[in-house]
Amino acid sequence: MKSKLFLDSGAYSAWTNKTEVNIQDYINFIKEHKDDIETYSCLDDIKSPEKTWENQKEMERQGLSPLPVWHVMENDSFLEKAMQYNYFAVGGMSLDSSVARKNRFDYVFSKVCTKKTDYFPSHKIHGFGLSAPNLLIAYPWYSVDSTSWVQYSRYGLILVPNLKNGKPSYSEAPYTIAVSSRSKAVGDSKHFRNFAPMEREWITAYCLSKGFSMGRTLFKSVKKGYELKENEKWTDRKIKNRVEVVVEKGLCCDGEARDAYNLLYFIELEKNQPTYPWRWTGHRKSFFD
């Protein structure tokens, strides 16, 4: 069976890059690729909730059924509009602090998980740009998306679950650990190499259990005109006076490996969540409490 896609309008990316998405182009694209798309969102406007709803109605006028979008910094009247639909999206995550986001999520889910529904969600909610593990596990999201999980790898980080009774636990936020040999955190306590031996041993064993070695590299200074050998790469491509030598390929020196490892964490996180829908009362830290 062919998998179908959830299509994001790309409005946030366009906003951050100071460009625009043309609504008619977006509508035409959806219609052209309708056989490959299962769900698609409204073309939202970060700056104007009014414009977002104009776009919602225009897309509906042209025969489409987009997910309405409500941003966390918008007022209740626009949330009420979104709740006229059985499935809606919550956006604007990065425009608020983590504390403010949690407060807004508490509010949204208190609106859909009520005594009337025995605290099960009455609406399906999609979280745009949501990859913070503690927020993923705290609420009964129907769906979420984010590309920011890739940034963990770009900054030389891996996600390691907490231990509970000697076993990995996904009921709490994971440890975020710097492992890259070129990380700015190499000199402080946040870097893997500076952890206590017992901690390094457990983290290494956990990574190996998932099919990833930590790896090992060396560095050397070189003179102008030096040509890279196999398993070598510049630490600075402009200056070219220092080389990283990969002795053993692994998480410390391979960004693609970190991508794959961190993606696996989120797959494991999903597997360890309860079957949707689940009850949310607003009084628990997570669904395991």
Side-chain angles (χ1 to χ4, degrees):
M1 183 178 177
K2 185 178 179 181
S3 298
K4 290 196 173 185
L5 305 174
F6 182 109
L7 181 65
D8 178 358
S9 70
Y12 177 76
S13 296
W15 178 75
T16 55
N17 293 320
K18 298 181 179 180
T19 60
E20 291 186 2
V21 177
N22 179 277
I23 187 168
Q24 194 58 53
D25 289 344
Y26 182 49
I27 291 170
N28 293 342
F29 182 88
I30 293 170
K31 289 183 176 181
E32 181 181 351
H33 299 279
K34 62 181 180 180
D35 292 338
D36 299 314
I37 301 170
E38 181 176 358
T39 309
Y40 47 90
S41 67
C42 167
L43 175 58
D44 55 316
D45 190 310
I46 303 294
K47 300 174 291 183
S48 171
E50 292 83 4
K51 182 60 178 176
T52 295
W53 284 96
E54 286 180 19
N55 290 343
Q56 177 78 22
K57 294 305 178 183
E58 177 59 24
M59 293 177 72
E60 291 175 351
R61 189 187 70 78
Q62 295 197 39
L64 300 181
S65 301
L67 253 61
V69 180
W70 175 75
H71 301 105
V72 293
M73 61 287 193
E74 294 170 358
N75 62 42
D76 274 9
S77 65
F78 293 101
L79 177 57
E80 297 289 338
K81 287 177 179 286
M83 289 182 63
Q84 293 173 10
Y85 298 76
N86 292 327
Y87 187 12
F88 66 92
V90 175
M93 309 296 192
S94 64
L95 304 179
D96 229 334
S97 68
S98 58
V99 173
R101 274 184 294 168
K102 184 181 184 307
N103 290 337
R104 296 304 280 166
F105 294 163
D106 283 349
Y107 180 70
V108 172
F109 279 95
S110 71
K111 298 276 281 185
V112 302
C113 299
T114 64
K115 186 175 181 180
K116 184 178 179 180
T117 62
D118 194 25
Y119 301 102
F120 284 92
S122 58
H123 294 65
K124 297 175 181 177
I125 302 180
H126 178 84
F128 273 132
L130 184 62
S131 62
N134 60 314
L135 296 177
L136 284 172
I137 66 178
Y139 305 95
W141 303 98
Y142 180 74
S143 56
V144 297
D145 77 84
S146 178
T147 57
S148 63
W149 63 270
V150 179
Q151 297 305 315
Y152 287 114
S153 172
R154 298 297 177 267
Y155 288 105
L157 305 171
I158 62 170
L159 300 172
V160 177
N162 272 269
L163 278 180
K164 196 171 187 178
N165 299 322
K167 296 181 179 181
S169 171
Y170 295 88
S171 64
E172 302 173 30
Y175 296 109
T176 304
I177 300 173
V179 295
S180 171
S181 301
R182 292 190 280 175
S183 170
K184 293 180 180 179
V186 166
D188 63 40
S189 60
K190 295 181 180 179
H191 198 280
F192 168 77
R193 68 173 57 180
N194 300 318
F195 285 15
M198 186 176 295
E199 292 175 317
R200 292 202 306 273
E201 183 179 343
W202 183 84
I203 294 168
T204 299
Y206 174 79
C207 292
L208 285 172
S209 74
K210 299 301 179 183
F212 298 87
S213 67
M214 195 57 65
R216 187 163 70 92
T217 63
L218 298 173
F219 294 91
K220 65 180 182 181
S221 297
V222 297
K223 296 181 179 180
K224 185 177 180 180
Y226 180 84
E227 294 186 7
L228 291 178
K229 300 176 182 177
E230 187 177 358
N231 295 331
E232 292 185 348
K233 51 187 175 183
W234 299 110
T235 59
D236 188 319
R237 293 180 182 178
K238 293 182 178 180
I239 301 177
K240 294 185 177 182
N241 62 358
R242 191 165 180 260
V243 171
E244 180 181 25
V245 183
V246 178
V247 178
E248 177 189 348
K249 197 171 183 178
L251 296 171
C252 75
C253 54
D254 187 345
E256 290 184 2
R258 290 194 295 270
D259 279 345
Y261 170 90
N262 286 329
L263 179 58
L264 185 60
Y265 171 83
F266 283 101
I267 292 173
E268 293 291 335
L269 177 65
E270 181 182 17
K271 288 179 180 177
N272 282 274
Q273 290 193 44
T275 302
Y276 180 91
W278 50 272
R279 297 174 74 245
W280 183 87
T281 65
H283 301 297
R284 60 183 69 181
K285 294 180 181 178
S286 76
F287 48 75
F288 289 95
D289 294 335

